[in-house]
Amino acid sequence: MMKTSLRIMMLFSVIVFCSVVNSKLTYASDGWGSFGDNITWNYTESSGLLEIKGTGDMPESDAPWHSYESGIKKVIIGEGITSVSSYLFDAYAWGYQSYYRQLKEVQLPSTIKSIKASAFYECGQLTTINFPNGLEEIGDGAFKNTALTSITIPGTVKEIGSGAFYGYGENTITNLIINEGVQTIGSSCFSGASISNLSLPSSINTIENSAFSNCNNLVSVEIPSNVTKIENYAFAKCSKLRYAVVNAPVDLPFECFGECKALEMVKLGEGVKSIDGSFRNCTSLKAVYVPQTVSTIKDSSFWFWNGPSSLTLYGYTGSAAWDYAGNHNGVNFLDISTADGK
């Protein structure tokens, strides 16, 4: 009888031990693994931390930590890794936000070169990320609809992709620094951002369609002289924008400042070539300084729903500004080459 009891107890102990070991092995297998040939990952459930280590570019494939996505709160990408692949942390699935709902912080290594398209798309709780010097690419929609508030773009990034920091509704970005070296700002890149100040580096040469549209806290903007291309709606519908300076030798396109209803004064620098409906429905516009280099002003350039209200074009007799004022009711002209303005 005693021998039987001992056997039962030993068997029970073996079963319990095997169950514990199996449980630990299963957890370890589920919590870590490889991602391509040279990269490994480890997820700690208690802290919500995902660590990714290795060398080289991350594969363009689905994340192997898929079953843990809803619990990840922080991601640390180790030194040696050079890219974050497309859609890797994309939180949008089947028409609603379902993954990475708790992801708030990402730490990038100094070796990172590329953040591919939609890499952190719809990570709606993401508030903190660093962009190291040496980063070269921020892809289209990479941080679209995140909760980032402060962004510093290093000068090693030559082009910021289309919609990279776009936000539906209220965009949370309040502090934006674009360092010298950045050349192209993609379409809708910062559309809707809550920035009140914008300083563009002299290295910028292209501002694409709607790049800063609907930035409703922006009060003033100065476009540097090295810009060679501004596209439609670049600064459209910035509801608090009051003052704009364009120093660039460009053709101002259709509604690049359209419906900026608080805009009162615009100064166009030498080199601006033409104005094509650029200030449509800017209902508070009072003064526009137009250089002699402007050869064409399209009829709709200063069109308002209810007609212009006390708009004065400051320019030179015989210029495009002089001709426009002479052919449009409600638009005044003042010659700035004479002291008395006659």
Side-chain angles (χ1 to χ4, degrees), residues 69 86-93 99-100 118-123:
E69 288 173 346
S86 305
Y87 301 96
L88 187 62
F89 295 96
D90 178 0
Y92 195 75
Y99 304 130
Y100 302 107
S118 299
F120 295 93
Y121 177 63
E122 291 280 357
C123 289

Side-chain angles (χ1 to χ4, degrees), residues 282-283 285 302-311 324 328-331:
C282 294
T283 53
L285 195 57
F302 301 101
W303 178 86
F304 304 154
W305 284 106
N306 298 317
S309 175
S310 64
L311 170 63
Y324 185 94
H328 292 82
N329 293 330
V331 179

